[in-house]
């Protein structure tokens, strides 16, 4: 009797829990869109309204019409930086992970320990040396100066190493019979078989690069090198705070990330599940 009652109640409880979690996670997106369509008086009013009685769509057009904001160029810079960083860093991590997993070279364990050690070093420690190196090479106010330090991802290297350690060695042995070397095995067998890992880590790298703020702020000192996150920060100054513009800019800049997540969410889950980190 009790077990039958539990079986009947469990789907309802599960549905209620999923509904509550959905509301919690969607609330920030609702608040961003609501505030983006209001004026300054409505945002600062002590009276709460669930939705604006008059939609101020001009808040979005003002983003791209402001000559001092450079929002269109900033979005283009962010798209270019993330579009280059994500595939390159993922491909480099894949190649390094395969080398650590398969190629028997002297000192491989020591080199892997060095990669793991980089995960323990705070980013604030390497920030100034990275700026000195990039600045000495003329990378200030350039997009490649923003891109270059983010191409090495030690965490992705470890994930790919775990993935390739689980890869069936029999498939590679068949490739060796066809005369393939290490590079051929990686390019023709291992790399095409790691599509889920490439997609998931590439999506995460894109999101991380898109959301980066401090490093692009220091390197991109000229407005021509601003990213979307830096352009958003101009709405908050010591003299003025443009809340409608800030929320409108937040909606515009978060839209590509939402689209990326909706497209790649299945690959993200599948990639992490096959990386060796599942419980």
């Amino acid at each position: 009797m009790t077990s039958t009652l539990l079986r009947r109640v469990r789907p309802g409880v599960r549905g209620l829990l999923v509904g509550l979690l959905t509301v919690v996670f969607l609330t920030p997106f609702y608040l961003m869109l609501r505030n983006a369509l209001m004026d300054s008086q409505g945002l600062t009013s002590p009276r709460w309204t669930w939705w604006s009685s008059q939609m101020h769509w001009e808040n979005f057009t003002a983003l791209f019409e402001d000559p001092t904001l450079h929002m269109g160029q900033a979005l283009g810079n962010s798209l270019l930086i993330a579009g280059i960083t994500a595939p390159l860093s993922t491909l480099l991590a894949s190649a390094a992970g395969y080398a650590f997993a398969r190629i028997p070279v002297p000192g491989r364990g020591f080199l892997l320990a060095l990669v793991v050690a980089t995960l323990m070093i705070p980013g604030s420690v390497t920030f100034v040396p990275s700026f000195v190196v990039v600045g000495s090479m003329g990378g200030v106010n350039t997009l490649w100066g923003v891109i270059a330090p983010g191409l090495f991802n030690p965490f992705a290297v470890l994930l790919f190493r775990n993935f390739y350690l689980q890869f069936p060695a029999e498939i590679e042995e068949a490739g060796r019979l066809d005369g393939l070397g290490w590079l051929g095995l990686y390019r023709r067998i291992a790399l095409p078989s790691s599509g889920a890992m490439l997609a998931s880590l590439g999506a995460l790298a894109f999101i991380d690069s898109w959301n980066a703020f401090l490093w692009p702020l220091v390197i991109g000192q000229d407005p021509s090198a601003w990213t979307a996150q830096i352009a958003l920060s101009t709405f908050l100054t010591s003299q003025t705070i443009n809340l409608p513009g800030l929320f409108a800019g937040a909606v515009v800049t978060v839209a590509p990330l939402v689209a990326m997540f909706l497209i790649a969410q299945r690959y993200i889950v599948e990639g992490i599940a096959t990386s060796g980190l599942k419980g």
Side-chain angles (χ1 to χ4, degrees), residues 1-50:
M1 181 67 178
T2 304
S3 59
T4 303
L5 181 60
L6 288 176
R7 283 196 301 268
R8 292 179 179 179
V9 173
R10 190 175 299 168
V13 174
R14 187 184 299 114
L16 179 61
L17 181 60
V18 171
L20 291 175
L21 292 177
T22 301
V23 171
V24 170
F25 283 109
L26 290 180
T27 297
F29 297 98
Y30 152 71
L31 291 175
M32 278 195 301
L33 185 59
R34 167 192 174 271
N35 295 342
L37 294 174
M38 299 182 70
D39 56 7
S40 299
Q41 183 177 1
L43 276 176
T44 56
S45 174
R47 182 181 177 183
W48 172 263
T49 55
W50 289 100

Side-chain angles (χ1 to χ4, degrees), residues 131-211:
F131 178 80
V132 172
V133 172
V134 174
S136 64
M137 298 174 63
V140 178
N141 291 326
T142 63
L143 296 184
W144 74 260
V146 180
I147 294 172
L151 293 181
F152 176 69
N153 188 345
F155 182 68
V157 172
L158 294 179
L159 290 181
F160 273 112
R161 175 183 175 271
N162 289 343
F163 173 79
Y164 289 127
L165 284 176
Q166 301 173 9
F167 193 75
E170 294 79 9
I171 301 179
E172 293 182 325
E173 292 297 331
R176 287 186 178 278
L177 295 177
D178 291 336
L180 296 179
W182 289 115
L183 182 59
L185 290 172
Y186 168 72
R187 184 170 59 89
R188 297 188 180 184
I189 298 178
L191 185 61
S193 301
S194 56
M197 283 289 293
L198 290 170
S200 62
L201 292 179
L204 294 177
F206 184 94
I207 294 172
D208 183 65
S209 178
W210 184 276
N211 287 330

Side-chain angles (χ1 to χ4, degrees), residues 64-244:
F64 301 95
E65 294 177 353
D66 189 348
T68 64
L69 188 58
H70 308 282
M71 177 57 75
Q73 186 177 17
L75 286 171
N77 290 340
S78 290
L79 183 61
L80 181 62
I81 292 170
I84 294 176
T85 301
L88 279 183
S89 63
T90 306
L91 185 61
L92 290 175
S94 173
Y98 182 79
F100 281 122
R102 287 290 193 249
I103 302 178
V105 296
R108 182 176 62 175
F110 175 73
L111 293 176
L112 180 61
L114 290 180
V115 173
V116 175
T118 61
L119 293 172
M120 306 177 187
I121 302 176
S124 57
V125 175
T126 60
F127 191 88
V128 174
S130 298
F131 178 80
V132 172
V133 172
V134 174
S136 64
M137 298 174 63
V140 178
N141 291 326
T142 63
L143 296 184
W144 74 260
V146 180
I147 294 172
L151 293 181
F152 176 69
N153 188 345
F155 182 68
V157 172
L158 294 179
L159 290 181
F160 273 112
R161 175 183 175 271
N162 289 343
F163 173 79
Y164 289 127
L165 284 176
Q166 301 173 9
F167 193 75
E170 294 79 9
I171 301 179
E172 293 182 325
E173 292 297 331
R176 287 186 178 278
L177 295 177
D178 291 336
L180 296 179
W182 289 115
L183 182 59
L185 290 172
Y186 168 72
R187 184 170 59 89
R188 297 188 180 184
I189 298 178
L191 185 61
S193 301
S194 56
M197 283 289 293
L198 290 170
S200 62
L201 292 179
L204 294 177
F206 184 94
I207 294 172
D208 183 65
S209 178
W210 184 276
N211 287 330
F213 178 76
L214 185 57
W215 178 256
L217 175 65
V218 174
I219 292 296
Q221 301 174 7
D222 188 81
S224 62
W226 282 0
T227 62
Q229 309 302 329
I230 299 175
L232 280 180
S233 67
T234 61
F235 287 106
L236 299 174
T237 66
S238 58
Q239 290 80 25
T240 59
I241 300 178
N242 184 358
L243 289 178

